[in-house]
Amino acid sequence: LCVVGAAADSTTLPDAVEGVMTLTENVTMSSSDFDSALDTYYDAGNEELIIDLGQNTLTVTGGGSIEYPANTSLTIENGNMVAYGFPEGTKSFVVPGDGCELTLENVTINTDGAAIFPAGNATAVTVINSNITGGVYAIGTNASTEDGELVQSFNVRVQLLNSTFSATGYSNNNGDTCTVMLNVPGTLIIDNCIITGHRQAVFARGGDVTITDSTIALLDPVFDVAGTYGTNNTYISNDQVWLSGNEVPLAAMVIGNRVNPNQAYQYPVDVEISNTTISANEENDAIYAYEMTSETGIDRN
C-alpha cells in the first residue's frame, strides 16, 4: 500500500521576472517573511511590483502588518489572500505608506484584521473586480494627530470599482464593523460596488466621497445586555457626542462629524450619491448625516 500525502504549500514568494512574481502553487508564509521579501525587492532599486497569484492562495500568518517603502507601487492580482490571527479587527493587514500605490484586481481577501489601511501622505488605493472582507474595516483610514497635524492618513485617494466589501467585527465575528471609512482629507470613489456592515457600512467623516451605481446595506446589528456593541465599543445614540473610530450612531451610511471643539476630525465633508441603494432595517437609519456648526461642517442637504 502506497500512501501519497498532499504536497505542502511553498513558504516563499517566487523570484520576480521583469517586475512580476507569479505564483504557481499555494504559498503560506509569515507576515514578517512577506514583509522582508517586499523590502528586499524594493531595496534593490525596484519601484514597482506585481504579485500575480495565478489563481492560487497566499496565506499570511502571524497577524502582522504588510508594509512597503514610500513612493513605490504594489499590484496584487488574480487569486486569493488569507490572513488571520490579528489580535483585534482594527489591526492593519496591508499598509501602503507615503506616496505608495496599491492596486488589487481580481482578488479575494479574507482577514480578521483591517484589510487595507492607507497610512501616508498621498497614498493611492485602487480595488477592481475584487471581494474584500476585513475585521472592523475592509478599507479604513486613521485621523491620529500630533501637535495638531495628521500623522497617519492624509490626502489619500481611494477608488473602489466593481467590487464587494464586508466586515466581520472587532473580535470573534461580533459584528462591530465599519466596512469602508474615510475620516481624513482625501477622496473616496465608489462605483458599482456592494458594501455591507453591521454598525456602519460606509462612514464619511472627512474628505470628498462620490458613490455611483452601488448598493450599501446595514445588516442586523449585534448588542450585548450591557448596552455595548459586541465586546469593544459603546453604542452611541443619535443625541450623543461621537467618539473615535466607529463609535458613532448606527446607519448604513454616516456622514459628517459630531465632536467637541478642538477634537479630531475637523475636516469638511462633501458627499455625492447617484443611482445607489442605501438600506437598513426598520430600527436604524439608512443615512445619518450630522451638520457641524463650524465652517468646516457639511451641508446636510
Side-chain angles (χ1 to χ4, degrees):
L1 175 65
C2 179
V3 178
V4 179
D9 292 353
S10 173
T11 58
T12 59
L13 292 174
D15 292 335
V17 178
E18 297 183 351
V20 181
M21 295 179 179
T22 303
L23 274 61
T24 58
E25 59 187 340
N26 295 334
V27 173
T28 298
M29 61 194 309
S30 69
S31 55
S32 58
D33 285 345
F34 190 9
D35 217 38
S36 294
L38 294 181
D39 286 342
T40 298
Y41 176 83
Y42 290 114
D43 287 347
N46 301 298
E47 296 182 353
E48 299 180 1
L49 173 63
I50 297 173
I51 299 178
D52 187 340
L53 299 171
Q55 307 307 324
N56 296 292
T57 298
L58 171 59
T59 300
V60 182
T61 63
S65 297
I66 304 304
E67 304 180 44
Y68 50 103
N71 303 311
T72 58
S73 171
L74 174 63
T75 297
I76 303 174
E77 60 188 21
N78 304 328
N80 307 301
M81 294 185 71
V82 176
Y84 289 105
F86 288 84
E88 57 192 51
T90 59
K91 299 301 182 183
S92 307
F93 177 35
V94 183
V95 185
D98 288 348
C100 286
E101 295 182 2
L102 173 67
T103 301
L104 303 173
E105 187 166 6
N106 299 318
V107 173
T108 295
I109 293 180
N110 286 286
T111 178
D112 56 1
I116 309 298
F117 172 40
N121 182 22
T123 302
V125 171
T126 303
V127 181
I128 307 168
N129 296 328
S130 294
N131 188 336
I132 311 298
T133 298
V136 174
Y137 308 102
I139 307 287
T141 53
N142 189 302
S144 297
T145 60
E146 183 175 309
D147 297 327
E149 300 292 331
L150 286 160
V151 295
Q152 293 280 351
S153 311
F154 46 105
N155 300 324
V156 298
R157 307 186 309 278
V158 179
Q159 295 187 85
L160 310 179
L161 311 173
N162 307 315
S163 297
T164 300
F165 300 87
S166 59
T168 58
Y170 180 80
S171 63
N172 300 319
N173 299 326
N174 69 351
D176 187 353
T177 65
C178 179
T179 307
V180 174
M181 179 178 70
L182 180 67
N183 61 1
V184 296
T187 59
L188 170 62
I189 295 172
I190 299 171
D191 181 56
N192 194 32
C193 290
I194 298 173
I195 303 174
T196 58
H198 295 271
R199 183 164 173 148
Q200 299 90 23
V202 176
F203 183 17
R205 200 169 192 170
D208 298 322
V209 179
T210 303
I211 304 173
T212 54
D213 300 319
S214 295
T215 299
I216 298 170
L218 186 72
L219 306 178
D220 288 338
V222 179
F223 295 94
D224 67 16
V225 293
T228 61
Y229 196 101
T231 58
N232 179 32
N233 293 333
T234 302
Y235 167 68
I236 302 299
S237 66
N238 290 0
D239 59 359
Q240 288 179 282
V241 172
W242 299 359
L243 301 179
S244 62
N246 68 330
E247 293 180 297
V248 305
L250 274 78
M253 182 163 188
V254 177
I255 302 170
N257 186 42
R258 183 180 185 180
V259 295
N260 293 319
N262 302 318
Q263 283 188 274
Y265 313 108
Q266 299 290 345
Y267 316 114
V269 181
D270 184 82
V271 178
E272 296 183 12
I273 304 171
S274 61
N275 198 33
T276 292
T277 300
I278 303 177
S279 63
N281 57 27
E282 294 181 356
E283 298 176 354
N284 295 289
D285 294 320
I287 299 177
Y288 182 85
Y290 185 83
E291 182 178 6
M292 296 180 290
T293 58
S294 70
E295 293 181 358
T296 59
I298 66 167
D299 182 356
R300 297 178 63 172
N301 300 320

